């Protein structure tokens, strides 16, 4: 089996903006204590790889025959085959364990990114542990939409508010903000809040900049109007002409 262990971790918009620590439980192969991770007693060189622990495999491609060196599946890369197998681990040298680790999620991660925790993967008979790969799954937020490293927030306003102007209180991931909507604002207008978006990180997980936040106002057109409202709109129409 592979010494690398892959798990998926779900995060939300707040985790993305501020970073967090997630306590994660996963299945891990750890060293078998009864046989000290050796898989048993008495061994001989693996005949499949002649004791090297590696095998060569060949692939036929459009560019010709490609040679690749891989871990020997018969001896799991140890080069040895156990003759008297451990009854606990059946000669594998490792057993299943429910492991819990604290995973540091840096601010600015995105869906599909992977984090690596060295030596937290599965134990192998060569005495080494593989790595744990944490694959990020970002759960979309209905209120706060992500666009690269920017945050988009839609806010509905009434026609009267667009015409006359208004001051709105808007919930954002960083807290409430006061939005001054000037008179004559068009539907779809974007109000920019510089560097109030999602941190931008480098490949080593260090933040070097921050995206923006945009509040987009959308004029709410009423589907049902009273006779009084219709009269007012007709008067506005006459004044507009």
């Amino acid at each position: 089996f592979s010494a690398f262990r892959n798990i998926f971790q779900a995060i939300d918009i707040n985790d993305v903006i501020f970073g967090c620590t997630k306590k994660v439980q996963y299945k891990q192969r750890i060293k078998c204590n009864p046989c000290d991770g050796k898989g048993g007693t008495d061994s001989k060189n693996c005949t499949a790889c002649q004791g090297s622990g590696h095998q060569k495999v060949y692939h036929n491609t459009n560019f010709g025959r490609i040679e690749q060196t891989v871990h020997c599946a018969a001896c799991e890369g140890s080069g040895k085959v156990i003759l008297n197998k451990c009854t606990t681990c059946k000669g594998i040298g490792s057993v299943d364990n429910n492991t819990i680790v604290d995973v540091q999620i840096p601010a600015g991660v995105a869906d599909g990114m992977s984090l690596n925790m060295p030596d937290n993967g599965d134990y192998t008979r060569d005495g080494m542990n593989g790595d744990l790969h944490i694959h990020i799954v970002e759960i979309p937020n209905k209120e706060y939409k992500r666009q690269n490293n920017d945050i988009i927030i839609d806010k509905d306003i009434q026609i009267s508010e667009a015409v006359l102007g208004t001051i709105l209180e808007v919930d954002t991931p960083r807290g409430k903000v006061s939005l001054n909507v000037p008179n004559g604002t068009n539907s779809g207008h974007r109000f920019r809040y510089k560097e109030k978006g999602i941190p931008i990180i480098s490949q080593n997980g260090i933040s070097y900049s921050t995206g923006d936040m945009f509040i987009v106002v959308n004029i709410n057109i009423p589907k049902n109007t009273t006779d009084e409202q219709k009269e007012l709109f007709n008067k506005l129409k006459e004044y507009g002409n």
Side-chain angles (χ1 to χ4, degrees):
F1 56 88
S2 172
F4 297 102
R5 179 68 68 169
N6 293 284
I7 61 174
F8 294 87
Q9 178 60 50
I11 59 172
D12 59 25
I13 190 68
N14 289 311
D15 299 331
V16 170
I17 295 173
F18 303 108
C20 64
T21 300
K22 295 285 188 182
K23 197 170 288 292
V24 176
Q25 179 174 316
Y26 66 102
K27 287 281 189 183
Q28 182 190 23
R29 301 285 300 184
I30 62 172
K31 183 170 73 172
C32 176
N33 287 327
C35 66
D36 196 31
K38 295 180 174 61
T41 59
D42 299 329
S43 63
K44 65 176 183 178
N45 282 343
C46 174
T47 56
C49 64
Q50 284 74 51
S52 68
H54 300 90
Q55 289 179 309
K56 291 182 178 180
V57 295
Y58 300 91
H59 304 281
N60 293 318
T61 71
N62 294 332
F63 303 99
R65 199 179 191 204
I66 296 177
E67 178 184 296
Q68 183 182 12
T69 301
V70 298
H71 267 38
C72 176
C75 64
E76 298 175 9
S78 67
K80 300 289 184 180
V81 175
I82 304 299
L83 298 178
N84 299 312
K85 293 183 179 181
C86 171
T87 56
T88 300
C89 65
K90 307 298 188 293
I92 298 174
S94 61
V95 293
D96 283 330
N97 182 67
N98 288 320
T99 301
I100 299 175
V101 294
D102 288 330
V103 178
Q104 301 292 330
I105 308 290
V109 296
D111 186 75
M113 282 187 176
S114 295
L115 306 175
N116 186 53
M117 294 185 69
D119 301 327
N120 281 273
D122 291 335
Y123 178 85
T124 58
R125 285 212 313 257
D126 60 6
M128 302 290 289
N129 272 65
D131 295 344
L132 174 64
H133 300 305
I134 303 102
H135 304 282
I136 298 299
V137 179
E138 188 176 342
I139 307 301
N141 187 287
K142 293 180 180 179
E143 302 295 327
Y144 313 126
K145 299 174 185 176
R146 179 173 186 170
Q147 192 174 83
N148 297 322
N149 286 87
D150 294 333
I151 296 173
I152 311 297
I153 302 174
D154 289 313
K155 185 67 177 177
D156 288 342
I157 61 173
Q158 302 301 319
I159 294 177
S160 57
E161 293 175 317
V163 173
L164 302 175
T166 188
I167 296 176
L168 303 173
E169 193 175 66
V170 182
D171 290 322
T172 79
R174 299 179 185 272
K176 294 182 182 295
V177 298
S178 182
L179 173 63
N180 183 14
V181 180
N183 61 296
T185 296
N186 291 322
S187 186
H189 185 84
R190 294 157 62 99
F191 294 88
R192 180 189 181 194
Y193 290 76
K194 190 176 181 181
E195 296 185 349
K196 295 297 183 181
I198 297 169
I200 303 171
I201 58 175
S202 59
Q203 289 185 345
N204 57 8
I206 298 175
S207 174
Y208 62 89
S209 186
T210 307
D212 299 330
M213 180 178 72
F214 294 91
I215 299 177
V216 183
V217 294
N218 301 296
I219 299 175
N220 186 17
I221 306 297
K223 294 181 178 180
N224 300 310
T225 55
T226 64
D227 291 339
E228 184 179 1
Q229 289 172 328
K230 289 178 181 178
E231 184 178 350
L232 289 172
F233 281 123
N234 282 324
K235 286 182 178 181
L236 289 173
K237 183 179 179 181
E238 291 175 6
Y239 289 140
N241 292 335

